[in-house]
Amino acid sequence: TMTYSAPIHLDGSGNARPLRRMSFDGSPGEGRFNESWLQDLLFRYPGSIPFRDVDPSLGGVVPLCREMHTSAGPVDLVFVTTAGKIILVETKLFRNPQARREVIGQILDYAKELTSWRFEQLAAKVASAAKRDSKYLLESVREQATDFNEAAFVDAVNRSLSRADMTLLIVGDGIQTGAEALVGFLESRAGLQFSLGLIEVAIFDSPDGGRFFQ
């Protein structure tokens, strides 16, 4: 478990000001901080997600698409490592108890659905969600990988899919005790291939009128 204190802004004169945490829940003037906004920010800035804190084995991570269609529902964010491991991210603002109960089961359903896919189906679904052509997945990884071996990458993706050897992340504005206990239980079960992590996000105001995202 990792914890962080509230950030403090220090100006050029050394004056200190604790930053005020802002709400995601549609308070007046703050309604733009919704799940769609969070998805877009995480997709455009994948470095804001501490992937390797959840799964130290992960290497370079490539963002692929938002809202990828599956028979279990749309996956919020899909990433892949340059070594061919699939990463699914579900964003959730915990506004009600139902959201807290359902979010872990939801992302597990997505992973279960993907175990019946092969690389070609994943590439087609990613391309459709991104509104790109069928070569989009391979081209995206090739741009960021050194010594890219297409055949080895495709084989690795197929292993990730068939074994559910994926990293599943739930990113939200509050992590509940009950959800933490469930994650610990799931990760302790023998035979499960996936890594499951909960990541809390926060927004703070800034003296210059901007926002600080953590």
Side-chain angles (χ1 to χ4, degrees), residues 9-154:
H9 178 267
L10 302 177
D11 66 20
S13 301
N15 298 313
R17 171 187 166 181
L19 301 187
R20 179 180 65 91
R21 186 165 180 173
M22 306 182 73
S23 174
F24 278 90
D25 64 5
S27 300
E30 298 175 8
R32 65 184 179 279
F33 300 136
N34 54 28
E35 287 182 11
S36 179
W37 177 89
L38 179 58
Q39 287 177 27
D40 181 64
L41 186 69
L42 296 174
F43 186 73
R44 288 189 293 121
Y45 301 100
S48 64
I49 304 175
F51 293 107
R52 297 194 68 181
D53 289 333
V54 176
D55 185 349
S57 69
L58 295 179
V61 175
V62 181
L64 294 178
C65 67
R66 296 176 57 188
E67 300 291 339
M68 182 182 75
H69 177 74
T70 77
S71 62
V75 182
D76 285 347
L77 298 168
V78 181
F79 300 82
V80 68
T81 72
T82 53
K85 188 169 187 176
I86 305 301
I87 303 170
L88 306 182
V89 176
E90 185 72 6
T91 59
K92 186 63 64 176
L93 303 185
F94 294 98
R95 298 171 184 167
N96 58 72
Q98 185 177 8
R100 299 177 191 131
R101 288 193 299 268
E102 292 180 352
V103 63
I104 291 179
Q106 191 173 28
I107 200 166
L108 292 177
D109 283 346
Y110 298 152
K112 182 180 178 182
E113 166 70 11
L114 264 63
T115 60
S116 65
W117 291 14
R118 298 288 289 173
F119 175 84
E120 293 76 16
Q121 186 172 2
L122 175 69
K125 293 286 189 179
V126 164
S128 176
K131 297 180 173 57
R132 303 288 291 272
D133 64 34
S134 60
K135 298 179 181 179
Y136 168 68
L137 194 162
L138 284 173
E139 290 174 347
S140 297
V141 177
R142 185 178 284 109
E143 288 177 359
Q144 298 195 33
T146 56
D147 300 323
F148 181 67
N149 183 314
E150 181 175 323
F153 175 78
V154 170

Side-chain angles (χ1 to χ4, degrees), residues 184-198:
F185 168 76
L186 289 170
E187 291 207 304
S188 71
R189 305 304 291 174
L192 297 180
Q193 298 294 311
F194 60 82
S195 297
L196 178 62
L198 300 174

